[in-house]
Amino acid sequence: MLDGKKVLFSGMQATGNITLGNYMGALKNWVALTNDETYQCFYCVVDLHSLTIRQDPAELRKRSRTLLMQYIAAGLDPVKNCIYYQSHVSGHAELSWILNCFTYMGELNRMTQFKDKSAKHADNINAGLFTYPVLMAADILLFQTDVVPVGIDQKQHLEITRDIAERFNGIYGDVLTIPEPYIGKVGAKIMSLQEPDKKMSKSDENVNATIYLMDDADTVIRKFKRAVTDSDNEIRYSDEKPGIKNLIDIYAAVNDKTPAEVEREFDGKGYGDFKLAVGEAVNSVLRPIHSKMEELTKDKAYVDGIIKDNGDKANYFATKTLRKVQKKVGLPERIR
């Protein structure tokens, strides 16, 4: 708890651009939490994790700043929420090292994400890729986090975080808060526009498969016009029609409607009209985000102020936990 509120932590990597799937599945729900007085939220630009893959330094810095601004442009209030760079809070790396010493090789060997990423990056299977879950545990435990929004792909990481915290507490007492999964409103699961049996991805090589948060209006319309459907020209919500089902999900999520309501709205209409309507609906959501991004890009001093103030705030709370952990394990106290 922090100032009588539960602590909620989440973040995104600064690799690639935010997709419509990222926005509808996560970021939109984060924004909704801003108005929930139950939580004190920490939203991190997860740049240290990005280093497990070789990065162009200038590009990583640019993407990190863009991601932070997109958090704000999408509606996250930088006053109500702590929005900061992971790399600006040294406690992440310091706590990660200590927790490494309380994590077993067998646990890390079982992590499916390590296996998946090792297969994708066989030429760079580094130690950071292997200990990635420990840094993620440090991210969460550093702020005495009560709740963590998790998708299916992150569930295993939260489980190992809880295991590490419980092991540490079993030795040293109630030092670390045991985080619980945050079960909020389920965000829309947005699939690829070209392969609707696969999740929309930042890294898809097919440029027409993914809608990015910063795609201009013409690009959005063009991508939806090229979206894969089928040949029967019936707008019906069915697993047998994955392309149309995906478009219905997108339209329903953007307009806060049910799939059945979307079916009724477009009853008797063709795919061409429907694709155009989906594209226009998505553009109506992206337009204010683009406008805010333009403002933020022009106001460097304002964004720099947010980075500094929120970094200081995150460091303040992180230091409280870190000092407690350091004392428990026997590290010498600093002379002040």
Side-chain angles (χ1 to χ4, degrees):
M1 300 289 285
L2 185 62
D3 296 330
K5 297 181 180 181
K6 288 185 177 180
V7 176
L8 182 145
F9 176 91
S10 196
M12 292 184 188
Q13 278 205 49
T15 51
N17 299 310
I18 293 181
T19 69
L20 180 66
N22 298 141
Y23 174 75
M24 300 303 299
L27 191 49
K28 185 180 178 183
N29 288 338
W30 294 1
V31 174
L33 287 167
T34 296
N35 298 318
D36 190 332
E37 296 299 322
T38 306
Y39 301 104
Q40 173 62 57
C41 301
F42 289 82
Y43 293 119
C44 184
V45 173
V46 190
D47 49 359
L48 290 177
H49 283 286
S50 303
L51 299 180
T52 58
I53 300 170
R54 295 288 177 265
Q55 301 290 336
D56 175 89
E59 187 65 22
L60 179 59
R61 280 190 287 272
K62 179 182 177 182
R63 284 182 169 175
S64 295
R65 189 178 180 91
T66 297
L67 178 57
L68 184 138
M69 291 193 296
Q70 286 179 337
Y71 281 177
I72 300 166
L76 286 179
D77 187 330
V79 175
K80 291 183 177 180
N81 306 285
C82 187
I83 303 170
Y84 72 100
Y85 292 139
Q86 182 187 29
S87 61
H88 284 194
V89 180
S90 61
H92 284 279
E94 292 184 69
L95 183 59
S96 179
W97 170 250
I98 295 173
L99 296 182
N100 264 314
C101 301
F102 292 85
T103 307
Y104 300 129
M105 296 284 287
E107 291 175 307
L108 296 176
N109 274 323
R110 290 193 292 271
M111 301 302 289
T112 56
Q113 196 172 59
F114 172 70
K115 297 172 185 176
D116 294 343
K117 289 195 173 184
S118 295
K120 291 180 182 177
H121 304 281
D123 60 336
N124 183 28
I125 305 175
N126 55 73
L129 199 61
F130 187 65
T131 60
Y132 186 105
V134 186
L135 178 55
M136 184 175 286
D139 297 340
I140 295 166
L141 300 174
L142 192 60
F143 297 102
Q144 302 290 356
T145 301
D146 296 289
V147 288
V148 182
V150 288
I152 294 173
D153 56 340
Q154 297 298 328
K155 187 177 178 183
Q156 195 180 34
H157 283 141
L158 184 59
E159 288 172 353
I160 195 172
T161 297
R162 288 171 54 86
D163 290 343
I164 295 168
E166 287 171 352
R167 183 175 301 132
F168 191 93
N169 287 353
I171 300 170
Y172 298 108
D174 293 331
V175 181
L176 300 169
T177 300
I178 309 299
E180 299 287 344
Y182 171 78
I183 310 299
K185 181 181 178 182
V186 177
K189 187 176 181 182
I190 307 300
M191 311 303 283
S192 163
L193 297 184
Q194 294 299 310
E195 297 178 85
D197 58 330
K198 297 180 180 178
K199 195 174 178 180
M200 185 175 285
S201 171
K202 293 179 182 179
S203 57
D204 200 313
E205 293 180 1
N206 188 334
V207 295
N208 293 310
T210 302
I211 300 293
Y212 295 104
L213 210 60
M214 299 312 297
D215 278 347
D216 62 55
D218 289 342
T219 299
V220 170
I221 296 297
R222 184 177 69 252
K223 287 181 178 181
F224 275 112
K225 283 183 176 179
R226 295 176 178 175
V228 168
T229 50
D230 51 54
S231 59
D232 69 10
N233 211 35
E234 182 185 5
I235 301 169
R236 180 166 52 85
Y237 195 74
S238 169
D239 289 338
E240 297 174 358
K241 297 165 67 68
I244 285 298
K245 181 183 178 183
N246 186 37
L247 294 180
I248 291 174
D249 278 333
I250 293 171
Y251 189 84
V254 168
N255 291 288
D256 198 23
K257 294 186 175 184
T258 65
E261 288 173 328
V262 178
E263 284 180 330
R264 288 194 293 272
E265 182 178 346
F266 290 92
D267 183 34
K269 294 185 179 179
Y271 286 173
D273 290 339
F274 182 50
K275 288 181 179 182
L276 181 61
V278 178
E280 289 174 343
V282 168
N283 276 332
S284 70
V285 170
L286 299 186
R287 201 170 294 117
I289 296 175
H290 292 176
S291 179
K292 184 63 177 179
M293 276 294 290
E294 188 175 351
E295 286 180 31
L296 292 169
T297 302
K298 292 177 179 177
D299 199 342
K300 182 178 183 296
Y302 172 71
V303 176
D304 286 349
I306 289 170
I307 291 170
K308 182 184 183 306
D309 292 345
N310 281 307
D312 289 345
K313 181 179 179 181
N315 267 303
Y316 172 78
F317 290 112
T319 299
K320 285 187 169 185
T321 298
L322 186 62
R323 295 291 177 262
K324 187 184 296 185
V325 168
Q326 289 171 333
K327 183 177 180 180
K328 288 291 185 180
V329 298
L331 298 179
E333 293 188 38
R334 299 191 182 195
I335 307 300
R336 293 177 177 82

